[in-house]
Amino acid sequence: MAFRDPDGASDIAVTNLLINDALSGASACYIAFVRASGLVLLVNDAGDAGGTPAGTFVLPGSGSATNSQCTVSGIGSSFNQNGGVLTLSLNISFSSSFSGNKVLYVAASDGSATSTGWQRLGVYGVSPIPTGSPMPVSMAPARPIGIGPVPVSFAVRHASTASRVVTVLMNEWLSATSACYFGYHEPSNTLVLYDNGTWHSLLLNGSGSVESQFCRVYGLGSSWTATGLAGILRVNIELKAPPAENQLVWVSASDSGGSSSWQTLGTWMTGNVTSKLELNLSAMPIDLYTTSGSGALISGCTSAQTVRQCIQKLFQVNPSVQNNWRSQGVTGVRFFFTLAGGYHSTPFDSAGNVSAAWASNLQLLFSDLRSYGITTITPTPVLDTWSGPPAMVIPRTVETCGVTKTLNFVPWLPYGLDTIQGFPDRTCDNQSYQLAARTPSDIFWGWDRFFNLIDTVLNKAQTERVSVNAFDYYQETNMTDFTVMARFIYDYNPGGFSTDVLGVLRSKMVSNGYPAAQIIPSANIPPSPTPATGNCSSYYGDSALLLTLVSQLAAVAGPWASFGVPPHHTDFGSLRCYQSSDTSPSPSLMVSTPVYHSPATATDIHSQKVYPTNAETEQYSTSFHNSIWSYLAYRGLTSNVVVFGETNPVDCDVWNPSNATAFVNGYRFSTLHSNASNRVYMRPWHRTEVGFACNLSPHVVNPPFNPLTF
């Protein structure tokens, strides 16, 4: 058993393990472990944890303790501490009278007597296991994780082949109230699901679904197979806002010869929060969505498929597709699309209008995702040089900030890029927002083309009834160091026509039935402080970890705020900490956009951080997510949707699963999790293009990177 404490394993005072049919210490194998002394205590048969124990001994050691249900031995038992984790291994043997499928209840408390409460973490079959017929035998997997959909198999043994029935109930206790409760009737090949006094039926023919307030069962992936008296009921189940985490799963079997008792066969780790698990894919080859052989463009698919067939394979709820993303709990998808054929996406025709063929393929993509339960999408246009072929990157010698220099220009950006690193033009530092060269008129497409494209994307999303909770229309802005990026908020042109970019995009959201304030660019990845817990206050009063996010908010706020590299700061490693007494030369004056917009109701910042040790990664993660909650509270945005648009990849880009787990654990222990978990969207990054992908699709995101497990 492993126990974690954000204050370190040494803060854990007592851990408990209770093994019984139900949560009762009476006639149980009930064990307490006191970390500081290594004391193992076995509670007496009456279950009186405060009374005289049945026995005690100290670890490490060779002692033992016995009651009527079990014996705990020091030999073969151990504990160790590693960072915030205490791992306890106990060597337990059971008496023959204490038999059957027993629930493992686990709890822990710290030095301040704060307790986790009892958690149902598994089921253990104590020999001898009941052998009668009819009788439930096993459940696989024995411990599903997340809300699903997950195909779960229930093996049963019958006494007769006539009138066979299998019944399943999932809840905290054996009650149909607030439960996922269903049964299968073999003679009619029908599954019935209980819903607040009503039974809904589903013929198991591979299609359709039935649902209650607490769960949904899909026909696809559900089946009944029988060989003689043995049967397997396979049910593709999705839980809906379950009332508590770690629910127990009871199964009974009946036939013409009689009925079994309820048997506890497993637990379902649903989680006690509703953070959303989404997926951040890379570029989607929309031009070739239905083209023969195009599936080979996506790692994990082949030329025998189209891109569309590949997407259907990767997301469909089908047990034959190992680790398909929908079955792992993924409910939303963010993907990129290029603007001029950079990766097989050409949304404009020769006249600059949105291509009808491209729009049709995009709608098919949305339709396919929606049909497999993907309810939110975030299409993101690629606005760097990769959006088109190299020939579209045009060097031009221009005057920028009063200086003559050569910059690279592309038709979709309202400013130039430096020719060496490709950064946005910052020739005159903060004043670059106003004074840096504009893309020459013979190169720049203009804003109308961009607006029409976003309008089309939103229209197709609305047609296919998929939500857009946080539309990231410009990837990873950094308006601290590159103020020209604010031209995607308000393109201020002192010498010509200015364009309220965010204002127009918000109007497109409304006209397509989406909330105006849920469209906002994402903020750049935060810095990496040393040590991992390093933090300080920025010029704005928020955490210096969030400087790019706060600069973006300042650009949205118009004349009420300023953005750019702030004065009065001292660099602390990679952090820009506010220092009122700073006398070093300040950067040029900060700037403001001339038009006020209300803050977005979505907060989108990317985060991909790994430190040399998992303990440091977890510490950074907690600090970072704490800072997000402090920012929301300070700015009056606590009702915002919070999107981590690119989070740590799993087993990819120097990451491994334990790194990702450490990052999620840091989130779990943060104030953001405790205050706003139901509005948090996590999007692990996964690159899909053949030649660039770290691993095949569908890769495993669950576990370890799954906020649903907490």
Side-chain angles (χ1 to χ4, degrees):
M1 297 172 290
F3 303 85
R4 183 181 298 274
D5 190 313
D7 297 321
S10 60
D11 189 51
I12 298 173
V14 178
T15 63
N16 298 97
L17 170 64
L18 191 156
I19 306 173
N20 208 349
D21 296 316
L23 187 55
S24 171
S27 301
C29 182
Y30 183 6
I31 304 163
F33 172 70
V34 182
R35 182 202 55 79
S37 61
L39 178 70
V40 176
L41 181 153
L42 179 63
V43 176
N44 55 43
D45 289 343
D48 182 5
T52 303
T56 65
F57 61 90
V58 175
L59 290 179
S62 57
S64 64
T66 301
N67 68 11
S68 298
Q69 288 68 240
C70 65
T71 296
V72 189
S73 302
I75 297 175
S77 297
S78 64
F79 74 97
N80 65 73
Q81 300 173 207
N82 183 11
V85 178
L86 168 68
T87 302
L88 175 64
S89 299
L90 295 174
N91 182 10
I92 306 173
S93 58
F94 298 95
S95 66
S96 59
S97 61
F98 188 67
S99 62
N101 296 312
K102 305 297 181 181
V103 183
L104 307 180
Y105 297 93
V106 178
S109 59
D110 62 16
S112 61
T114 300
S115 175
T116 62
W118 288 106
Q119 305 293 319
R120 297 165 290 276
L121 291 191
V123 173
Y124 183 77
V126 179
S127 297
I129 302 298
T131 58
S133 297
M135 183 64 64
V137 176
S138 64
M139 167 181 163
R143 184 168 168 76
I145 295 176
I147 61 173
V150 176
V152 182
S153 296
F154 304 97
V156 294
R157 180 176 59 249
H158 282 96
S160 167
T161 59
S163 303
R164 290 193 284 197
V165 173
V166 179
T167 310
V168 179
L169 190 149
M170 302 181 192
N171 205 348
E172 297 176 75
W173 47 80
L174 190 56
S175 170
T177 302
S178 302
C180 179
Y181 181 28
F182 58 87
Y184 173 73
H185 182 246
E186 184 191 41
S188 63
N189 192 33
T190 300
L191 187 143
V192 292
L193 177 67
Y194 181 76
D195 182 21
N196 194 28
T198 301
W199 290 93
H200 304 290
S201 62
L202 173 68
L203 185 65
L204 287 195
N205 60 1
S207 64
S209 65
V210 288
E211 61 185 284
S212 69
Q213 181 181 351
F214 302 101
C215 62
R216 178 184 292 110
V217 175
Y218 294 89
L220 180 64
S222 296
S223 62
W224 164 259
T225 56
T227 304
L229 297 176
I232 296 177
L233 174 65
R234 187 178 181 88
V235 185
N236 204 5
I237 313 169
E238 180 175 22
L239 300 187
K240 298 164 59 179
E245 63 178 326
N246 302 324
Q247 297 188 81
L248 295 173
V249 182
W250 284 273
V251 182
S252 69
S254 66
D255 53 41
S256 60
S259 299
S260 74
S261 60
W262 286 103
Q263 295 293 313
T264 313
L265 294 189
T267 59
W268 192 312
M269 190 175 183
T270 59
N272 58 0
V273 302
T274 53
S275 298
K276 308 298 188 299
L277 177 65
E278 299 193 343
L279 192 63
N280 192 330
L281 300 179
S282 48
M284 187 62 59
I286 296 172
D287 291 346
L288 305 178
Y289 194 62
T290 60
T291 302
S292 297
S294 59
L297 293 170
I298 297 179
S299 179
C301 294
T302 70
S303 58
Q305 301 165 309
T306 63
V307 169
R308 184 182 191 187
Q309 290 168 331
C310 177
I311 291 297
Q312 292 171 337
K313 167 193 170 185
L314 300 180
F315 284 98
Q316 66 178 308
V317 184
N318 186 332
S320 67
V321 181
Q322 186 178 14
N323 298 325
N324 75 80
W325 284 320
R326 186 66 186 98
S327 71
Q328 294 184 62
V330 172
T331 60
V333 172
R334 177 181 185 243
F335 65 91
F336 295 96
F337 59 91
T338 58
L339 304 186
Y343 193 73
H344 310 290
S345 172
T346 315
F348 302 112
D349 62 22
S350 58
N353 302 309
V354 178
S355 162
W358 184 90
S360 176
N361 282 349
L362 183 72
Q363 183 171 340
L364 285 176
L365 170 62
F366 293 163
S367 174
D368 290 334
L369 292 175
R370 182 68 181 85
S371 70
Y372 292 115
I374 300 300
T375 56
T376 60
I377 52 95
T378 300
T380 301
V382 175
L383 294 171
D384 60 23
T385 56
W386 185 50
S387 211
M392 296 191 75
V393 181
I394 302 172
R396 185 75 60 87
T397 301
V398 295
E399 182 178 297
T400 183
C401 297
V403 177
T404 300
K405 66 189 300 185
T406 300
L407 298 171
N408 285 335
F409 294 95
V410 290
W412 44 87
L413 290 179
Y415 49 78
L417 308 170
D418 93 39
T419 57
I420 298 175
Q421 295 176 305
F423 290 149
D425 182 14
R426 54 175 171 178
T427 301
C428 49
D429 299 322
N430 286 348
Q431 299 302 313
S432 298
Y433 168 63
Q434 297 172 330
L435 303 179
R438 308 186 63 75
T439 303
S441 58
D442 62 322
I443 299 176
F444 187 47
W445 280 341
W447 286 109
D448 284 346
R449 185 182 294 205
F450 185 70
F451 295 149
N452 290 339
L453 175 60
I454 300 301
D455 185 54
T456 298
V457 171
L458 291 169
N459 175 264
K460 298 306 180 186
Q462 187 59 246
T463 299
E464 295 304 327
R465 298 176 292 109
V466 288
S467 299
V468 181
N469 286 338
F471 194 161
D472 177 7
Y473 70 89
Y474 188 0
Q475 157 88 345
E476 293 186 354
T477 62
N478 177 358
M479 296 175 193
T480 301
D481 296 295
F482 307 102
T483 60
V484 291
M485 286 185 167
R487 292 180 183 176
F488 273 89
I489 302 293
Y490 186 89
D491 188 9
Y492 179 55
N493 183 6
F497 182 73
S498 298
T499 304
D500 184 0
V501 179
L502 181 58
V504 174
L505 292 177
R506 285 186 170 182
S507 71
K508 300 297 186 186
M509 290 282 285
V510 172
S511 65
N512 285 288
Y514 295 108
Q518 286 187 347
I519 188 165
I520 193 70
S522 58
N524 201 17
I525 297 172
S528 302
T530 303
T533 54
N535 206 342
C536 59
S537 179
S538 74
Y539 170 82
Y540 296 95
D542 305 271
S543 165
L545 286 171
L546 307 181
L547 191 57
T548 58
L549 177 64
V550 182
S551 291
Q552 182 191 99
L553 178 67
V556 170
W560 283 266
S562 56
F563 58 95
V565 176
H568 307 301
H569 75 269
T570 299
D571 288 345
F572 174 72
S574 58
L575 297 176
R576 287 165 169 161
C577 303
Y578 177 69
Q579 183 70 35
S580 60
S581 60
D582 173 36
T583 57
S584 61
S586 295
S588 39
L589 294 176
M590 298 172 76
V591 293
S592 298
T593 54
V595 173
Y596 169 80
H597 296 93
S598 61
T601 56
T603 298
D604 187 348
I605 186 169
H606 295 181
S607 181
Q608 296 182 356
K609 296 295 174 190
V610 61
Y611 279 82
T613 68
N614 287 338
E616 291 174 292
T617 299
E618 184 176 310
Q619 290 168 348
Y620 167 82
S621 176
T622 299
S623 175
F624 167 67
H625 292 105
N626 284 344
S627 296
I628 293 288
W629 176 249
S630 297
Y631 158 80
L632 296 172
Y634 182 45
R635 300 291 170 180
L637 303 173
T638 53
S639 61
N640 269 25
V641 168
V642 182
V643 178
F644 297 104
E646 287 188 15
T647 51
N648 314 319
V650 177
D651 206 15
C652 188
D653 295 341
V654 311
W655 284 85
N656 61 49
S658 66
N659 299 148
T661 299
F663 201 87
V664 175
N665 284 337
Y667 162 67
R668 178 189 182 187
F669 295 126
S670 73
T671 53
L672 177 66
H673 176 270
S674 60
N675 287 287
S677 58
N678 62 328
R679 296 187 300 280
V680 171
Y681 291 75
M682 293 282 190
R683 291 178 184 158
W685 166 253
H686 178 58
R687 194 161 187 177
T688 55
E689 309 101 289
V690 166
F692 297 96
C694 297
N695 43 39
L696 298 178
S697 301
H699 70 313
V700 176
V701 293
N702 175 22
F705 203 111
N706 186 359
L708 301 174
T709 62
F710 302 123

